[in-house]
Amino acid sequence: MSYSVLLYHIIWRTKYSYYTINPDHERDLYGYIYGLCENKRCKLLRIGGIANHIHMFVGIRPDIKVSEFIQVIKVESCKWMKERRFMFPIFDGWADGYGAFSYSEKDKYMIINYIKNQKKHHEIQDLMEEYAKILKEWKIDIKEDRFLHDDKGLPRP
């Protein structure tokens, strides 16, 4: 029998990075996403964020492509939120892209704590600064990355 542990820190944001995730109901949203992960037999280790983006640290089965996994999460959570306009009245959808970064077991608690402290972290740093720092750590040129671009390839406002 083979065994694989594939851990990913995945970040995605609201359309145009607008603050549309109602903080009063973010736990409901996170619970729904937890259920989506369970249905895919993937292990959600931590989820968190602020009103314009979400971070998750998740173990994804090796037979599931990361792109397919995040597509399911984004499509299904978008439908769920739009069906609950009373909870997320100004939510208009997710931006097209996402960031996915792989980590080892030894990094697990560092990433979990990083996600746990998102609200405090974003008191001093916005999403663009945060993401630029992550890209720098991975030696990715921010000009080559599409995460902060929306619909027509234009940078977010």
Side-chain angles (χ1 to χ4, degrees):
M1 180 170 139
S2 298
Y3 189 76
S4 297
V5 177
L6 304 172
L7 301 173
Y8 295 94
H9 177 194
I10 301 174
I11 308 162
W12 72 99
R13 63 189 180 85
T14 59
K15 194 171 194 175
Y16 305 114
S17 298
Y18 291 157
Y19 288 78
T20 59
I21 301 171
N22 183 344
D24 294 336
H25 297 289
E26 68 184 12
R27 290 181 64 101
D28 299 300
L29 172 60
Y30 298 161
Y32 182 75
I33 292 171
Y34 177 84
L36 293 172
C37 292
E38 288 283 301
N39 288 342
K40 289 283 186 190
R41 295 188 341 263
C42 295
K43 186 171 183 177
L44 181 61
L45 300 167
R46 187 71 193 189
I47 189 168
I50 63 171
N52 72 343
H53 72 283
I54 293 177
H55 292 254
M56 72 172 9
F57 191 49
V58 60
I60 300 176
R61 295 185 354 243
D63 61 323
I64 299 176
K65 293 180 186 176
V66 175
S67 59
E68 292 171 0
F69 173 80
I70 193 62
Q71 181 180 11
V72 167
I73 299 296
K74 287 172 65 176
V75 166
E76 294 303 319
S77 63
C78 183
K79 282 192 247 180
W80 185 85
M81 292 170 78
K82 286 182 175 184
E83 289 169 357
R84 288 157 182 78
R85 285 279 179 216
F86 65 96
M87 294 167 79
F88 305 97
I90 58 174
F91 177 77
D92 191 33
W94 301 116
D96 291 335
Y98 63 92
F101 306 92
S102 61
Y103 286 89
S104 70
E105 181 70 23
K106 70 179 174 133
D107 297 320
K108 183 163 99 173
Y109 293 106
M110 174 191 68
I111 300 300
I112 287 171
N113 286 328
Y114 180 79
I115 294 172
K116 192 184 295 187
N117 291 311
Q118 277 294 292
K119 292 196 185 340
K120 187 175 181 179
H121 175 75
H122 284 289
E123 290 174 2
I124 57 173
Q125 190 174 53
D126 71 13
L127 172 60
M128 192 167 205
E129 294 166 325
E130 173 188 42
Y131 195 70
K133 183 179 174 192
I134 291 169
L135 291 180
K136 187 176 181 182
E137 289 171 6
W138 285 91
K139 297 178 178 40
I140 299 170
D141 185 347
I142 195 163
K143 294 175 193 153
E144 302 297 318
D145 190 80
R146 306 294 297 161
F147 178 79
L148 295 170
H149 288 69
D150 283 300
D151 300 296
K152 297 179 177 112
L154 302 172
R156 71 168 175 82

